[in-house]
Each structure stands twice: as structure tokens, then as C-alpha cells.
Amino acid sequence: MRQQPVLVYDGDCAFCTSSVRFAERRLRPRCAATPWQFTDLTELGISRRRAEHEVLWVTPTGAVHGGAQAVAKLLLSAPRGWPVVGALLTLPPLRWAAHGVYRLIARNRHRMPGGTAACALPPSPAAQPK
């Protein structure tokens, strides 16, 4: 069993990578951060499809939290006042708002500062031609 949580992110996305590096420097969360492209996803119990679409927080016991709730878990693991912010993001209605903001950013991450065309999310199955 792992000793600390793992934050899994898209290492091909410059915006995602720079966001994680910023969090590591400024927030100092207690976790191991790794790009999904260099991670044994099966060992962590997550699918490639899920890893492509959202940041994931995997606890040492194997619980998986994605998107805004992964960000909340990251904040909960940081020192100083960040756990308060993380806790607030787990409570309705802030949880719902955080989910909406996360989805908006995720859909537009290729347009965010530092983002590139490689940052664009893969199309959802419903959007692909048949």
C-alpha cells in the first residue's frame, strides 16, 4: 500500500503541468504528483479515459477523487490555511460551483495561460462522428 496520496494529471498539457508545479511550490501538498502518461493506471485503479479528462487524487487506500474534488483533496493536504479552502470546496453549494468552474477550465485548458493545442481534451464519445 502507498504511504501517501497520488495526484495524477495530464503531463502532455502545459497548463496542467504548470498548475501542478505551481501547487507543489506554493501550496506544498502532501502527495506524489505524476503525469498519467508515466503512471501504472491499472495499479491505481483508474482508466486512461478518466485520466485524460480530469486530474485525479488517489488515496493510499485506493479511493479516487476527480476534478474539483481532487483539487479540494490537494488543498486539504496542504499546510497553513489551505485545508479550510479545500474543506469549503467539498460542501454544497460550493462543491457544485467548483465542479462547474473545473469543467469550464478543463474544456478550455488549451486556451489558458501556458496552454497549447496539445492541452485540448480528447473529444467525448458523443461528439465523435459515427
Side-chain angles (χ1 to χ4, degrees):
M1 181 162 80
R2 287 178 313 282
Q3 297 299 313
Q4 64 180 345
V6 178
L7 181 74
V8 181
Y9 65 95
D10 187 348
D12 285 340
C13 174
F15 173 73
C16 300
T17 301
S18 61
S19 296
V20 169
R21 296 295 164 248
F22 176 84
E24 288 176 326
R25 280 190 322 273
R26 300 293 182 157
L27 306 180
R28 306 222 185 269
R30 292 185 258 332
C31 68
T34 183
W36 70 260
Q37 293 87 346
F38 302 110
T39 302
D40 184 345
L41 298 176
T42 304
E43 180 183 313
L44 293 176
I46 53 180
S47 70
R48 177 180 172 156
R49 178 169 161 70
R50 187 167 184 194
E52 288 175 337
H53 282 80
E54 63 184 346
V55 64
L56 299 165
W57 180 270
V58 185
T59 69
T61 60
V64 180
H65 304 274
Q69 291 310 292
V71 173
K73 295 293 185 180
L74 178 136
L75 293 169
L76 284 164
S77 79
R80 298 183 295 277
W82 294 112
V84 173
V85 178
L88 289 172
L89 292 178
T90 67
L91 302 172
L94 289 178
R95 179 185 178 116
W96 306 324
H99 174 75
V101 169
Y102 181 88
R103 294 292 3 130
L104 180 67
I105 291 171
R107 280 192 304 271
N108 292 287
R109 64 189 189 168
H110 59 289
R111 295 183 179 108
M112 302 301 283
T116 65
C119 296
L121 287 177
S124 67
Q128 294 178 0
K130 295 184 183 189

